[in-house]
Amino acid sequence: MEPRITDVSSPANPVLKSLKSLADKKGRRAAGQFLAEGLRVCTEALAAGHVPTTLVFTAEAQAHPLTGKLIAATARARGTCLRTTPDLMQRLTGKDNAAGVAAAYPIPDTSLARIDRSAAKLWLVAENLKDPGNFGTMLRTCDATGAGGVILLDQSCDPFSVEAVRASMGALFSRQVARATGPEFFQWLRQGEGQLVGAALAGNTIDYRAHIYRAPCFLFMGNEQSGLPADYAAQCDALVKLPMLGTADSLNVAVCAGVLLYHALDRVSAV
């Protein structure tokens, strides 16, 4: 049986309006959903077992065989399939060069209880991370290095914002994301195995190349501007620093996370 596809040519369409509301945190919270854009990202989501609740595509994008697979999967799951115009797709995504495919997905459970620390040797932890672009880049690097994902602490950015999803380039569907307060995280961490290694410039730090990383290893990154708070740094099993040989006094947090992840990738020990 052919999937049911609804043609939408008006911005007043209620389903399209509800999808547009997912650009705002309030709208995402009310709907319990977030928006992802692009055929590649949505295809990667499907490969990871994530099926859209609502799939939107243009007539041109529909001709692609991967879009056909997305349509079929959405229809089987009794989701909604909308065919719309490039202009309305642009309005939905807010991009001049809008992709021909966008989809809504349920916001997953982000509790620490869902994190299986033994599933990966490396994890990232970020305290008060504000920039969704940095978050997305860090999650994408986790995917590249086989790290388990990112645990966001305190007043960090929304990992399901449009900006964060875009920057993750599909990694949001393949990596784990958790949110907690600092005290909740420290309590959870000490209930099992795990080495907490903080990135810092001050305190009792050693060169990041001299440290012995032990799995599961949680690489702890501080806020983009202020770094790790002193009381959080005190919770770490070790503090490491990257040498700064130029005039800059700090690195972008996502760059720093990438350096540490790749360095620890082949050096982390299971004992």
Side-chain angles (χ1 to χ4, degrees), residues 28 34 107 110 132 135-136 139 152 156-166 168 172 177-179:
R28 290 191 294 274
F34 68 97
I107 294 176
T110 56
F135 163 76
L139 197 62
L152 295 171
S156 290
C157 63
D158 183 353
F160 304 104
S161 69
V162 172
E163 297 83 1
V165 178
R166 282 176 184 163
S168 77
L172 193 64
V177 176
R179 291 188 278 188

Side-chain angles (χ1 to χ4, degrees), residues 52-107:
T53 57
T54 304
L55 179 69
V56 187
F57 49 89
T58 62
E60 181 181 2
Q62 186 181 359
H64 198 292
L66 291 179
T67 306
K69 290 183 179 181
L70 284 167
I71 293 171
T74 304
R76 284 195 300 270
R78 299 189 176 185
T80 300
C81 296
L82 302 180
R83 182 168 50 214
T84 191
T85 65
D87 178 63
L88 289 183
M89 183 66 78
Q90 179 180 328
R91 291 193 186 195
L92 173 62
T93 62
K95 296 177 66 179
D96 291 336
N97 57 338
V101 175
Y105 297 89
I107 294 176

Side-chain angles (χ1 to χ4, degrees), residues 48 50 108 114-115 119-120 122-123 135-136 138-150 160 168 170-178:
H50 300 269
R114 292 187 67 252
I115 297 293
L122 297 170
W123 297 83
F135 163 76
M138 291 163 71
L139 197 62
R140 187 179 178 187
T141 309
C142 282
D143 182 71
T145 57
V150 179
F160 304 104
S168 77
L172 193 64
F173 297 102
S174 65
R175 303 297 99 184
Q176 292 289 307
V177 176

